[in-house]
Amino acid sequence: MTLWNGSYPFYPGANACFPFDTARAVIVTVFLSVLATFIIILPGIPGRGRLFWFLRWVLGLFMGAVILNVQFTGDWETGWVQANTSYKSFSRVQVSADIGLHIGLAGVNVTLRGNPEKQINETIDYNEHFPWSFGADYDRSYSQGLQKGLPSPILYVAEKFSSQSPCAVHRQYRIAGHYASLTLWVAFCTWLISILLFSMSILLYGGHMLLLTATLILFSLLLFSTVRNTLRCPIQFGPVSLRTDYGESFWLALATGLLCLLLGLGIIILNSVQPEKLKLIFSLDKSSKEELWDKSCLPAQPSCSAQDGLMVPLGELCHRTATQL
């Protein structure tokens, strides 16, 4: 037996990864709670407007949840590679591992998973985050990783995105992430305004706000995609290289932006061509008829009084009374 049981003292054990992202969990829980509330009150909606009412709220909550959720995800751009690589500095021992790179709006996540997970008497399962959001210092996080003695593959990938790297991609990714995040926050505000306008039955302006929301979402995607046009250094692990492509958050945001665009255009076109069908979708035709019936039966109009059948002219009433006598 050797000192420190054959391991270097400045290399801590693998970090225990939290099973889920707390920010995403809170967002999903809030929106699912609102959806459950709408499902509970759904039987109280009369007639065929129940289905349209439910679809409107499901689509609206889906768009809002996606716009808010992609702010905190780290899979706007992802890539995986399986390679045999050195595990620790100053050591020739190599391990077989899956190395993943996940780029988000707020930073980079580097994943290292052993294949198999237990090798060289250790559990190889790492997921390290290096932020570049406001108030965060990427280079400081990278220096802390060096001090902790993180595995070499993680430090090698993280070094490519540092400000001192000759790849020079740190500034592009950081600026693109900041502006894309800001644009998505504005899109979330316009989505809230559109929901408010639709609830107030102001359909045309609600459609315009949906169009604005779609424009902001698509613009944020354009801002992020411009980073991929920059020249980058290859991330090489022996004969294989780590290549990235657009991740789930990017495609989900794109689908949501296109959905907002189609819904906004549909509402504006229906409002110009067939407004009655638009009112039917938003359950406004029945309420307008009831309002018209209520106005036609005001007490000021004697014909709608409940005592119409009992009212006769006073002279005729006196004449009939005298005849009976």
Side-chain angles (χ1 to χ4, degrees):
M1 180 176 292
T2 60
L3 186 64
W4 307 108
N5 294 325
S7 63
Y8 295 99
F10 47 84
Y11 284 105
N15 294 336
C17 300
F18 205 62
F20 55 85
D21 188 355
T22 54
R24 298 176 63 181
V26 169
I27 294 171
V28 172
T29 302
V30 170
F31 278 89
L32 287 180
S33 301
V34 177
L35 180 61
T37 303
F38 289 147
I39 293 176
I40 292 174
I41 66 177
L42 184 62
I45 306 299
R48 60 182 179 180
R50 179 184 307 164
L51 178 61
F52 291 124
W53 184 86
F54 182 70
L55 289 177
R56 289 199 312 269
W57 280 108
V58 168
L59 290 176
L61 291 176
F62 171 78
M63 292 183 291
V66 170
I67 296 172
L68 191 59
N69 196 30
V70 294
Q71 289 271 5
F72 306 98
T73 55
D75 55 353
W76 279 69
E77 189 176 345
T78 60
W80 284 92
V81 67
Q82 183 177 359
N84 294 323
T85 178
S86 61
Y87 180 54
K88 299 176 181 179
S89 301
F90 313 110
S91 175
R92 296 182 179 179
V93 177
Q94 289 194 341
V95 296
S96 176
D98 296 325
I99 306 167
L101 173 61
H102 312 276
I103 304 175
L105 301 181
V108 172
N109 277 67
V110 185
T111 303
L112 179 67
R113 296 175 183 172
N115 189 14
E117 188 172 305
K118 285 188 173 294
Q119 298 182 49
I120 58 172
N121 297 326
E122 291 187 22
T123 300
I124 303 176
D125 187 9
Y126 286 84
N127 183 21
E128 297 293 331
H129 180 65
F130 301 91
W132 55 47
S133 58
F134 288 112
D137 190 349
Y138 185 93
D139 292 337
R140 182 179 179 182
S141 299
Y142 176 71
S143 300
Q144 291 176 352
L146 288 172
Q147 295 174 4
K148 290 191 300 182
L150 294 177
S152 297
I154 295 179
L155 296 175
Y156 170 68
V157 176
E159 190 272 337
K160 296 289 184 179
F161 294 88
S162 64
S163 60
Q164 305 299 326
S165 173
C167 299
V169 296
H170 174 81
R171 185 173 180 271
Q172 288 84 349
Y173 270 103
R174 187 171 183 267
I175 293 177
H178 287 174
Y179 281 103
S181 177
L182 179 62
T183 306
L184 285 175
W185 279 117
V186 179
F188 182 74
C189 295
T190 57
W191 169 80
L192 286 176
I193 296 175
S194 68
I195 293 297
L196 179 62
L197 292 175
F198 286 138
S199 63
M200 297 172 61
S201 303
I202 309 176
L203 307 182
L204 181 59
Y205 291 104
H208 288 160
M209 294 307 297
L210 270 184
L211 278 182
L212 181 57
T213 303
T215 303
L216 291 171
I217 295 175
L218 297 178
F219 184 67
S220 67
L221 298 177
L222 180 62
L223 286 173
F224 185 81
S225 62
T226 55
V227 184
R228 291 182 56 85
N229 297 327
T230 59
L231 296 177
R232 294 182 295 171
C233 300
I235 304 176
Q236 199 76 22
F237 292 95
V240 297
S241 60
L242 176 59
R243 301 182 182 275
T244 59
D245 201 355
Y246 293 124
E248 296 179 359
S249 295
F250 183 90
W251 297 116
L252 187 60
L254 178 61
T256 305
L258 295 177
L259 178 61
C260 292
L261 181 64
L262 292 176
L263 291 178
L265 288 176
I267 290 174
I268 294 174
I269 293 174
L270 279 179
N271 185 79
S272 302
V273 178
Q274 293 180 338
E276 296 300 327
K277 288 188 177 181
L278 183 61
K279 292 180 180 180
L280 178 63
I281 295 175
F282 283 87
S283 304
L284 297 179
D285 55 342
K286 185 176 179 180
S287 61
S288 61
K289 291 180 181 179
E290 291 178 354
E291 183 179 358
L292 181 61
W293 185 85
D294 292 337
K295 289 182 179 180
S296 63
C297 294
L298 290 176
Q301 299 181 2
S303 59
C304 291
S305 177
Q307 300 177 358
D308 282 351
L310 301 178
M311 294 178 64
V312 296
L314 182 59
E316 183 179 351
L317 179 60
C318 296
H319 177 71
R320 291 181 179 178
T321 305
T323 304
Q324 291 178 2
L325 294 175

